[in-house]
Amino acid sequence: MTSEKRKKLLTLAVLAAALAACLVVDATLPSYHIAVKVISKASVYMLVAVSMNLLNGFTGLFSLGQAGFMLLGAYAYAVLTIPVAKRDSVYQYFDGGLLHFSLPEIFSFLGEDLGTLVGMLAALLVGGLLAALLAYLIGLPVLRLKSDYLAIATLGFAEILRTLFQWNGLGPITNGSNLLKSYPTFSRATSYVLLAGVLIFAVVLLINSTYGRAFKAIRDDEVAAEAMGINLSHHKRMSFVISSFFAGVGGGMMAMYMGTVAALPFRSSMTYEILLIVVIGGIGSITGSIIASFLYIFSSEWWLRGLDSGTFLGIHAPGLFKNGFRMAVFSVIIMVIVLFFRRGLMGDKELPDLLGRRPKKQKKEVAGK
Amino acid sequence: MSDPILRVENVTMQFGGVVAVDNLNLSIDPGQIVALIGPNGAGKTTAFNVITGVYQPTNGAVYFQGKKIIENHPQGKMKAQYKGQNAGAYSHVLSPTPDKITQLGMARTFQNIRLWKSQSVFDNVLIAMHCRRHSNVFSATFRLNRKEESAQRKRAQELLEIVGLADDRGELATSLPYGKQRRLEIARALATDPTLLLLDEPAAGMNPQETDDLTEFIAQIRWDFHISILLIEHHMDLVMGISDQIYVLDFGKLIARGTPEQIRNDQRVIDAYLGVAEDA
């Protein structure tokens, strides 16, 4: 039991250290600094990657609809938070749009700062709930499919949703193929990290509850799970709905990060990025998804930038290091990771497992973060 | 005598043109151990799958604790193809999924072991209690069901002690030796709190010593858990040792039923299945 307690304490210490690092970054660097940006983006990706892992890794349903649910969350967030005064200019081709309210303004009786925050969180929640509702509706026909077929169906659904949102008929709400902008956003990296962290904590609690155990049983052996009284369609749909909820909230946070919302970025390539993160981190490991999101976003957006712009690690070679070279190197790195870590960086291990296994290494890890 | 706990009535299972189970009638009284035996391909496992809801029978009905739980009659293309009897006797369709049947109080093990591979021994038993939960997904996620959770954990530990696997609770289920995996499957089935336990070849692949232990174990859990047991088995020592009733299937047809003594001396069973000792 004492080793259990020590594991818990060490885990808390690692998480606290990570949070402290974010606070330091926020306090010392301006909000437009690349470090703040990549931490924010990585936080969004880690939430969505965890939501995908819940479905693909823990329930064994291979779904590729994540970008679709994110799109819904992003639009819901933007539509509900654009200030009324700015709607005329945002919806200039649609006579100021259909909706004439915004959640931050509705909650303004709480005081300006708190009202805005509550309104933003409420908009994120609505985005998540809409995504969950849609998942509930399409779950019934789609979840009868298995493996690759389920992936194709959900992928197709996400693409349909993206096209639909660009349709001018929905313009008074979605602004057609024009941008949604001028809505409030988080400017500090810590806000993103905290919000994503709290939501991921809820997923971890779910996974370790009796329902989470049932999900894992379905993943391991459907026939046995059903024979032991686990209602397959009910549980699969539950997992799909919960996963989509978090993807929707993640989409809302994505809208905050991007500053403007359009349907175009929510292509299937976004789903593939997230799938890549889940696979690199380890299918069935929350910790893996978190680590992989940070590594992926940091590398692709920041650390490897030099490969595109002439100078990398002090080597000046404009002939070789030009546009596109970054992605070539990046692909090689991913291939190497997949070759040497067959089950992803973490396999199905979590942070406490790492801390408990080798007593000598744990100190390094705490100090290193 | 009280109502039988399970009654299989005129069940026929036809796949295309093949009649795998032909008009099977079978009943189990409370507390009985009933064995279903027969040569390979006789339709024993098919009968099992019909009772547990994996297959929908082509014709016939199944009653559990006096209530009709499964019923079907030939429909569609099968109407013309149907080769069995009692074609007009049933008119309703009742086909619950296996999980519903488990929740009614029937639990099974599998001929080819189907444990949850990535889960520990303890979790395998714990997960099986999920079907008896009262918490919903929110109360379970936010730990408002502590009482239920700790009761489940305590019960899982008890079950592991009863089947003698308490020392292996942290091991991966698939890392256990074969005999222990069989026991774990039984423990997992018992965790669903059944009134009828269905064992599909529980002694398959076991040596004589292990089979003897298992025989004793099955006889004991019948009393400890107040359950009835339906088992499929090829080890005649086990079957003859503990069964109250034996049903013999051959090519889908019931060829005999009776006590172990009657079955042992039944000429048709000897011809079809048991054979004669060579020195006789």
Side-chain angles (χ1 to χ4, degrees):
Chain A
M1 271 299 129
T2 48
S3 82
E4 281 293 308
K5 226 174 195 173
R6 214 183 57 196
K7 267 191 210 175
K8 237 181 206 166
L9 278 176
L10 282 165
T11 309
L12 277 178
V14 171
L15 295 179
L19 190 62
C22 292
L23 282 170
V24 168
V25 167
D26 267 344
T28 54
L29 298 172
S31 64
Y32 55 79
H33 192 276
I34 183 83
V36 177
K37 289 285 169 212
V38 287
I39 292 177
S40 309
K41 188 175 184 187
S43 305
V44 177
Y45 269 71
M46 84 177 171
L47 176 61
V48 183
V50 166
S51 83
M52 193 180 206
N53 211 342
L54 173 66
L55 198 57
N56 292 20
F58 289 95
T59 320
L61 295 170
F62 188 35
S63 155
L64 291 177
Q66 236 58 7
F69 295 113
M70 286 175 76
L71 172 96
L72 199 60
Y75 267 91
Y77 176 77
V79 167
L80 290 173
T81 55
I82 295 174
V84 176
K86 294 198 176 143
R87 294 212 172 217
D88 278 339
S89 66
V90 172
Y91 288 99
Q92 52 178 321
Y93 302 109
F94 297 99
D95 302 328
L98 196 65
L99 304 175
H100 292 285
F101 66 90
S102 85
L103 288 180
E105 283 164 356
I106 287 174
F107 285 102
S108 59
F109 63 87
L110 293 167
E112 188 158 353
D113 287 350
L114 186 62
T116 307
L117 181 65
V118 172
M120 287 163 77
L121 293 179
L124 285 178
L125 185 69
V126 171
L129 290 177
L130 279 178
L133 178 71
L134 191 68
Y136 184 82
L137 292 177
I138 66 166
L140 191 64
V142 165
L143 291 177
R144 301 166 75 102
L145 302 171
K146 286 204 170 118
S147 63
D148 315 359
Y149 302 98
L150 175 64
I152 291 165
T154 47
L155 191 68
F157 147 77
E159 287 296 302
I160 290 169
L161 201 64
R162 185 169 66 83
T163 318
L164 190 68
F165 268 63
Q166 288 174 315
W167 175 42
N168 273 347
L170 285 176
I173 294 173
T174 64
N175 212 10
S177 52
N178 309 303
L179 291 176
L180 287 170
K181 52 183 184 249
S182 306
Y183 49 83
T185 63
F186 290 154
S187 55
R188 315 305 308 184
T190 314
S191 324
Y192 287 94
V193 172
L194 264 183
L195 184 55
V198 167
L199 293 171
I200 288 174
F201 183 65
V203 176
V204 172
L205 283 180
L206 170 70
I207 285 169
N208 292 321
S209 77
T210 178
Y211 284 87
R213 293 194 294 262
F215 292 162
K216 289 182 231 172
I218 292 173
R219 170 194 67 187
D220 280 1
D221 193 327
E222 251 184 51
V223 176
E226 193 172 33
M228 293 302 130
I230 295 170
N231 186 331
L232 291 184
S233 58
H234 179 77
H235 282 80
K236 281 181 177 179
R237 202 204 272 206
M238 181 186 287
S239 173
F240 192 48
V241 166
I242 294 172
S243 164
S244 305
F245 171 81
F246 287 109
V249 176
M253 292 172 69
M254 195 67 184
M256 280 191 206
Y257 166 76
M258 295 193 299
T260 57
V261 172
L264 202 61
F266 296 95
R267 279 180 302 237
S268 49
S269 61
M270 183 178 267
T271 304
Y272 296 141
E273 271 185 324
I274 295 156
L275 179 65
L276 194 63
I277 289 172
V278 171
V279 171
I280 290 176
I283 294 173
S285 166
I286 299 286
T287 316
S289 293
I290 294 172
I291 293 175
S293 339
F294 276 84
L295 284 180
Y296 181 84
I297 299 296
F298 274 47
S299 309
S300 68
E301 303 281 325
W302 186 16
W303 293 338
L304 299 181
R305 277 280 169 207
L307 290 176
D308 269 4
S309 55
T311 312
F312 184 68
L313 293 174
I315 304 164
H316 187 68
L320 182 63
F321 295 167
K322 56 188 177 193
N323 272 352
F325 191 63
R326 177 175 59 114
M327 287 325 278
V329 173
F330 197 51
S331 311
V332 173
I333 294 175
I334 288 169
M335 271 197 271
V336 169
I337 290 180
V338 172
L339 281 175
F340 285 94
F341 297 87
R342 291 271 161 96
R343 306 187 53 219
L345 293 172
M346 297 289 287
D348 55 3
K349 299 271 183 298
E350 298 290 355
L351 184 60
D353 302 326
L354 278 193
L355 297 174
R357 190 65 48 100
R358 297 182 202 90
K360 271 181 192 164
K361 231 181 171 181
Q362 65 195 217
K363 269 178 201 147
K364 251 191 214 162
E365 177 133 10
V366 176
K369 281 245 169 172
Chain B
M1 199 77 197
S2 55
D3 271 351
I5 198 128
L6 179 81
R7 192 154 64 82
V8 175
E9 190 186 84
N10 304 328
V11 161
T12 300
M13 182 78 230
Q14 184 173 343
F15 297 103
V18 181
V19 184
V21 175
D22 193 357
N23 209 39
L24 175 67
N25 282 283
L26 179 157
S27 80
I28 303 173
D29 287 327
Q32 267 193 334
I33 295 182
V34 173
L36 196 56
I37 62 172
N40 288 327
K44 306 182 296 290
T45 298
T46 305
F48 238 56
N49 283 338
V50 168
I51 295 168
T52 53
V54 177
Y55 297 148
Q56 186 181 14
T58 316
N59 190 39
V62 177
Y63 296 78
F64 183 61
Q65 294 180 314
K67 227 182 104 202
K68 192 187 285 180
I69 57 166
I70 297 171
E71 181 177 349
N72 198 14
H73 56 96
Q75 303 166 65
K77 240 180 13 187
M78 193 45 85
K79 230 174 196 168
Q81 287 183 2
Y82 187 61
K83 294 185 199 162
Q85 306 158 38
N86 299 308
Y90 300 93
S91 54
H92 289 84
V93 177
L94 248 179
S95 68
T97 47
D99 58 287
K100 301 266 167 17
I101 289 178
T102 305
Q103 278 165 14
L104 290 174
M106 253 193 244
R108 71 172 295 179
T109 64
F110 293 90
Q111 185 175 353
N112 44 344
I113 299 176
R114 278 178 174 273
L115 291 165
W116 293 305
K117 330 184 245 307
S118 70
Q119 304 297 310
S120 70
V121 169
F122 183 73
D123 281 345
N124 262 281
V125 178
L126 192 58
I127 291 168
M129 291 180 191
H130 183 69
C131 67
R132 297 283 173 230
R133 77 199 177 271
H134 295 288
S135 55
N136 62 34
V137 66
F138 289 101
S139 61
T141 301
F142 297 107
R143 303 295 186 264
L144 303 171
N145 63 338
R146 260 165 224 254
K147 230 179 183 175
E148 184 182 82
E149 178 85 12
S150 62
Q152 282 186 352
R153 284 179 181 273
K154 200 168 144 237
R155 182 78 186 128
Q157 183 64 28
E158 278 171 18
L159 282 169
L160 286 183
E161 273 157 22
I162 290 169
V163 301
L165 290 171
D167 294 338
D168 304 301
R169 58 169 280 170
E171 299 286 323
L172 218 55
T174 40
S175 70
L176 291 181
Y178 191 77
K180 283 186 171 178
Q181 289 194 22
R182 286 261 174 225
R183 272 170 185 259
L184 180 56
E185 264 218 327
I186 295 176
R188 185 177 71 168
L190 289 171
T192 64
D193 195 17
T195 41
L196 174 66
L197 186 62
L198 298 104
L199 304 173
D200 196 348
E201 298 201 21
M206 285 188 172
N207 64 32
Q209 176 60 41
E210 286 173 325
T211 308
D212 285 352
D213 292 346
L214 185 76
T215 311
E216 219 169 274
F217 176 66
I218 292 173
Q220 187 208 329
I221 57 173
R222 155 165 61 162
W223 300 120
D224 290 352
F225 291 85
H226 308 289
I227 52 175
S228 317
I229 294 172
L230 174 63
L231 68 101
I232 294 176
E233 192 45 74
H234 284 297
H235 285 71
M236 278 309 118
D237 295 348
L238 191 156
V239 171
M240 296 294 175
I242 56 172
S243 305
D244 300 311
Q245 281 282 318
I246 297 175
Y247 288 78
V248 189
L249 281 182
D250 191 26
F251 293 110
K253 283 198 175 67
L254 194 64
I255 57 167
R257 61 167 285 192
T259 61
E261 203 49 44
Q262 292 166 333
I263 294 298
R264 203 176 280 144
N265 299 317
D266 189 304
Q267 195 52 48
R268 291 170 67 191
V269 180
I270 293 170
D271 291 344
Y273 182 51
L274 295 179
V276 196
E278 272 175 15
D279 55 348

